Amino acid sequence: MKSSHGSDGNTIDGVPRRRIVLASMVGTTIEFYDFYIYATAAVSVFPHLFFPKGDPTTALLASLATFGLAFVARPVGSILFGHFGDRAGRKTTLVASLLLMGVATFAIGLLPTYSQVGLVAPALLAVMRFAQGLALGGEWSGAALLATETAAPGKRGWAAMWPQLGAPLGFLLANSLFVGLILMLGHSNVDPDPDGAFLTWGWRVPFLLSAVMVAIGLYVRLRILETPVFSRAVARGEKVKTPLAEVFRTSWRQLIIGTFVMLATYTLFYIVTTWALSFGTAKLPPDGAGLGFAYVDFLELQLIAVLFFAATLPVAGLLADRFGRRRTLLVVTAGIMVYGALFAPMLGSGNTSAGTMLLFLIIGMTLMGLTFGPMSAVLPELFPTNVRYTGSGISYNVSSILGAAVAPFIATWLATSFGVAWVGLYLFIAASLTFVAILVMRETRDASLDSADRVDLAR
């Protein structure tokens, strides 16, 4: 028998739960795939083809700066898509964000290089990167709401875990494809051949293939219905004209808390992925300031480690439902703080072995899964229905500026100027700020998602 929420154990308003799960996960997988192929290319491709002037470190930093540009765009995307997500609905907005990401990523695969059009090339790359950021700014919160607003009672943490799986799955798809192309085309990151097949055309393949994935994602998302929680809020007349103004008027404390709750998660991930890749594959001293790993070898280590990220996400969802969001995240964040102290002993000797590097990455990715898993439940639970898309999106994406946009850039500068111990200290400080934010936040596990009149969840 169906409940008053229009659902039973296996369906929501007649739509199978497995279809909703797939729709929330497939979109985030595609969007994170698109995001990660750019992150990988920012280290291995763009410094050579779009920022070739000056010394290699300057080119890398310029490439990482455009990588960070998307994080500046993400809060703008959360405002734009959040407005329509809270006004027009979750489903329509999710389709639009997926289309924008697909078009921008496909276009990157067609861009001319610096040698062909000069400064127009990095300018166009920056525009497409900004568009990617706009799209992802609207994607994550919509997928999180699709999962949480259709979850079975007492299982929101588990339901919200599914869109989070898009992050490691997208990472695996993106990096596996790059590794395969590099091996097949004989590319060397240590001594790249500008006229070789990989830098001539091979790097474009992952970007162009995103069109196929977007088509699959659109097919899945067009077959779902609007969430019942949003539909009931509209029926009660709770929809507001300007969600942005409303969320700042009524939920500004939750915005601040949500932003800092996400800070350690973002900082951890982009240090362990983007910065670690650039540092691990940079030349050994005195010619460089890295660890001297072959590019493909390091990507293979990351691919192994990201399996631990994927494996711990379901564990995090179960823990958050069993013990609550605050208790789970406090323990994990304390673990991230301890992890920051491991940077110097594990990476600071200059002769880090592959085994030590793999262990370092596995610890980081395990902590990432445990901290990232509950977030798609925690942030939506902080906000009322009529501003939930906007509020959760702004918190998530403003945090991306503070914790992700600058993380690879700052970490590269710290490691080059002062050593890797300072990178660990940087992560420790970010985790400490998150720890305080979680202490201030009230427990959200039992918060209702079905009413605009909610208890203040910020102390």
Side-chain angles (χ1 to χ4, degrees):
M1 180 179 295
K2 290 187 177 182
S3 72
S4 61
H5 297 283
S7 66
D8 56 33
N10 299 310
T11 64
I12 300 291
D13 290 338
V15 178
R17 284 188 186 274
R18 63 180 180 274
R19 186 184 301 171
I20 297 172
V21 166
L22 182 61
S24 68
M25 185 172 66
V26 70
T28 54
T29 300
I30 294 166
E31 301 245 19
F32 278 107
Y33 164 85
D34 290 350
F35 217 67
Y36 292 151
I37 56 176
Y38 190 102
T40 303
V43 174
S44 64
V45 176
F46 298 147
H48 305 295
L49 299 181
F50 290 85
F51 307 96
K53 299 297 182 180
D55 65 88
T57 300
T58 302
L60 174 61
L61 290 175
S63 182
L64 290 177
T66 62
F67 171 75
L69 180 63
F71 294 98
V72 178
R74 284 170 65 164
V76 180
S78 66
I79 293 170
L80 174 65
F81 287 103
H83 176 86
F84 292 104
D86 286 325
R87 293 281 301 164
R90 308 344 186 180
K91 174 185 174 179
T92 301
T93 309
L94 278 170
V95 169
S97 68
L98 185 59
L99 272 174
L100 178 59
M101 177 64 91
V103 170
T105 304
F106 186 81
I108 290 174
L110 300 175
L111 289 181
T113 64
Y114 183 91
S115 65
Q116 295 170 319
V117 295
L119 292 175
V120 174
L124 289 174
L125 182 65
V127 171
M128 293 302 103
R129 183 59 174 166
F130 191 86
Q132 279 191 320
L134 285 177
L136 194 56
E139 163 63 29
W140 179 87
S141 50
L145 266 59
L146 179 62
T148 56
E149 291 184 346
T150 57
K155 295 183 178 180
R156 278 205 304 258
W158 175 257
M161 172 273 301
W162 291 103
Q164 305 297 74
L165 272 175
L169 291 177
F171 186 93
L172 283 167
L173 286 171
N175 279 11
S176 296
L177 187 53
F178 262 105
V179 168
L181 285 167
I182 288 170
L183 291 174
M184 183 176 66
L185 300 178
H187 176 70
S188 170
N189 193 61
V190 176
D191 186 23
D193 180 6
D195 298 318
F198 180 76
L199 288 181
T200 301
W201 60 268
W203 68 271
R204 300 179 184 273
V205 173
F207 292 93
L208 299 177
L209 282 179
S210 68
V212 178
M213 300 178 65
V214 168
I216 297 171
L218 288 174
Y219 172 76
V220 173
R221 285 194 166 171
L222 288 171
R223 298 180 69 223
I224 61 172
L225 301 176
E226 187 53 74
T227 71
V229 170
F230 178 80
S231 298
R232 287 192 295 273
V234 172
R236 291 193 299 265
E238 294 172 358
K239 190 164 61 173
V240 294
K241 290 185 178 180
T242 54
L244 178 62
E246 183 71 12
V247 76
F248 275 100
R249 185 181 70 83
T250 63
S251 304
W252 61 269
R253 292 182 183 86
Q254 289 90 324
L255 285 172
I256 295 172
I257 290 173
T259 297
F260 282 96
V261 164
M262 272 296 304
L263 181 63
T265 304
Y266 266 126
T267 306
L268 171 66
F269 185 73
Y270 284 95
I271 284 179
V272 175
T273 55
T274 304
W275 171 77
L277 178 62
S278 62
F279 177 73
T281 57
K283 293 180 180 179
L284 288 164
D287 298 326
L291 298 178
F293 282 91
Y295 185 73
V296 171
D297 291 344
F298 199 91
L299 280 182
E300 289 173 346
L301 295 179
Q302 283 192 324
L303 287 173
I304 295 171
V306 82
L307 296 175
F308 289 81
F309 179 11
T312 49
L313 282 170
V315 175
L318 291 172
L319 290 174
D321 280 338
R322 173 67 177 84
F323 298 104
R325 295 20 169 168
R326 288 183 74 248
R327 190 183 306 178
T328 300
L329 289 174
L330 283 172
V331 172
V332 176
T333 305
I336 297 173
M337 295 165 68
V338 173
Y339 180 60
L342 299 178
F343 278 58
M346 299 189 79
L347 305 180
S349 64
N351 60 352
T352 302
S353 68
T356 300
M357 190 72 240
L358 178 59
L359 178 61
F360 174 83
L361 294 174
I362 286 175
I363 296 172
M365 286 295 190
T366 298
L367 289 168
M368 179 62 196
L370 293 173
T371 185
F372 189 57
M375 289 301 173
S376 56
V378 172
L379 297 188
E381 288 168 351
L382 287 172
F383 299 94
T385 305
N386 56 0
V387 294
R388 185 169 295 136
Y389 205 124
T390 302
S392 60
I394 290 176
S395 293
Y396 184 83
N397 291 297
V398 170
S399 185
S400 76
I401 295 180
L402 301 177
V406 298
F409 191 93
I410 291 176
T412 298
W413 176 73
L414 287 173
T416 303
S417 303
F418 305 105
V420 294
W422 285 79
V423 181
L425 178 61
Y426 170 48
L427 178 60
F428 177 88
I429 293 171
S432 298
L433 292 173
T434 290
F435 194 87
V436 172
I438 299 168
L439 283 175
V440 173
M441 182 188 77
R442 293 186 187 275
E443 177 57 59
T444 63
R445 177 179 57 182
D446 299 320
S448 172
L449 296 186
D450 203 32
S451 173
D453 299 318
R454 289 158 47 84
V455 175
D456 186 0
L457 295 172
R459 291 185 188 276

